[in-house]
Amino acid sequence: MTKQLRGTGVALITPFTAEKRVDTKALTRIVEYVTDGGVDFIVVLGTTSEAPTLSKEEKALVRETIIKANKKHLPLVLGIGGNNTQSVIEEIKSTDLTPFDAILSVTPYYNKPSQNGLYAHFAAIAKESPLPIILYNVPGRTGVCMTAETILRLANDFKNIIAVKEASGNLVLDMNILKDMPKHFTFLSGDDTTTLPSVYMGGSGAISVIGIAFPKEFSEMVRLGLNGNTSKANTLQYELLPMMALAFKEGNPTGIKAILAAQGLCEPYVRLPLVEASDSLKEEIRKALK
């Protein structure tokens, strides 16, 4: 599985209709688009999917739609996380995980556990999960940051904890993970802007947001970086950098949905408490795409 995680993964959005229902046609279109664009794996029901606003039935619909559209072509990673450890374990046990290759599990949010609490949370999940686990560190959303020491302790103590999606954007933290991580463990950037630098330092790729809109360009950038072609990789990084900024200017997935809408792949609708991209951002995106 760790070899399959090398390269570019994309954390898919959940497109909605004007009535705010799950738009399965658009979701199928996006799966086909990123697959044709050359991404290496797909993340289902991650942060970018607006999973907290989806009902249990809608989550099942999203899973089924992506599984069907994927046609067993790419590895699938399923997001299952939360701030109630037992509830996360129960969701893992009650979900049909047969089509999936790994679970992406975010650090508990709002509770603000200590590093020992974070360790205990993921240790409990690792002991119960039938699938390999990718730790997801995103302090900008959760209010808590796993240290390199905690990540490495989990990686060394549990062989089924196989990777981290590190989305702090802190390259010093990234380096401290990369320099000491065990051989079975994979480092994936969760921050588009620092993906390429992390690859140069020994990372294996990314779980990307901007890669949904530009799968060919982002995947090629990562591929070139992994192969040591820094000149061409840097050129793509700097070409994508303005779109990365626009994708997060009014939050995620508000920005990426506006970009995808401008590309004709879906509508820009999001669910409360998120709101649709402003007219000014949409105009900036239209100009940048030209």
Side-chain angles (χ1 to χ4, degrees), residues 8-284:
T8 297
V10 284
L12 294 187
I13 65 158
T14 302
F16 297 123
T17 65
E19 296 75 30
K20 301 296 173 70
R21 297 192 181 97
V22 175
D23 188 340
T24 55
K25 289 183 179 179
L27 184 53
T28 298
R29 189 182 307 125
I30 291 167
V31 172
E32 293 170 349
Y33 175 70
V34 298
T35 302
D36 292 344
V39 306
D40 298 291
F41 61 97
I42 290 172
V43 176
V44 182
L45 295 174
T47 299
T48 307
S49 73
E50 297 176 76
T53 71
L54 300 175
S55 68
K56 184 177 179 180
E57 293 74 22
E58 287 173 327
K59 287 182 180 180
L61 178 60
V62 168
R63 289 195 301 267
E64 291 162 9
T65 301
I66 294 173
I67 291 165
K68 183 177 179 181
N70 183 52
K71 301 175 183 176
K72 297 183 179 180
H73 183 66
L74 295 175
L76 297 178
V77 174
L78 179 62
I80 302 181
N83 61 349
N84 181 327
T85 308
Q86 190 56 41
S87 292
V88 174
I89 292 170
E90 289 170 4
E91 185 175 351
I92 289 171
K93 288 182 174 181
S94 64
T95 302
D96 179 11
L97 300 175
T98 308
F100 297 97
D101 297 274
I103 288 169
L104 176 68
S105 199
V106 71
T107 52
Y109 42 85
Y110 189 75
N111 312 52
K112 298 189 77 173
S114 66
Q115 294 301 310
N116 284 337
L118 290 168
Y119 177 89
H121 170 80
F122 285 114
I125 294 171
K127 290 172 184 176
E128 299 289 345
S129 176
L131 286 184
I133 296 164
I134 304 169
L135 307 172
Y136 180 14
N137 189 47
V138 56
R141 285 185 176 271
T142 64
V144 63
C145 184
M146 273 199 295
T147 62
E149 290 78 12
T150 300
I151 292 168
L152 294 171
R153 183 182 170 200
L154 286 163
N156 283 302
D157 289 354
F158 298 94
K159 296 301 180 185
N160 63 334
I161 295 181
I162 60 165
V164 63
K165 176 186 177 183
E166 210 298 286
S168 70
N170 182 341
L171 288 172
V172 175
L173 173 60
D174 296 352
M175 285 188 285
N176 282 322
I177 298 167
L178 285 159
K179 73 182 180 71
D180 292 324
M181 66 187 193
K183 290 183 178 180
H184 80 278
F185 198 69
T186 298
F187 182 98
L188 296 167
S189 175
D191 177 72
D192 285 338
T193 58
T194 59
T195 290
L196 195 55
S198 75
V199 166
Y200 293 157
M201 294 185 298
S204 293
I207 295 176
S208 174
V209 173
I210 201 66
I212 311 170
F214 303 100
K216 182 179 179 181
E217 295 83 354
F218 194 91
S219 297
E220 181 65 7
M221 180 194 78
V222 171
R223 207 167 287 120
L224 289 165
L226 289 169
N227 291 331
N229 194 332
T230 58
S231 179
K232 290 184 178 180
N234 290 348
T235 296
L236 283 170
Q237 163 83 359
Y238 294 134
E239 288 176 355
L240 287 169
L241 201 57
M243 295 307 300
M244 293 176 186
L246 291 175
F248 289 90
K249 188 172 183 178
E250 294 182 4
N252 180 45
T254 294
I256 192 63
K257 281 192 168 183
I259 294 171
L260 294 168
Q263 293 174 314
L265 290 165
C266 68
E267 297 297 335
Y269 308 126
V270 293
R271 280 183 175 171
L272 290 172
L274 301 183
V275 293
E276 194 175 324
S278 64
D279 290 341
S280 61
L281 177 57
K282 289 178 181 178
E283 182 59 25
E284 285 187 80

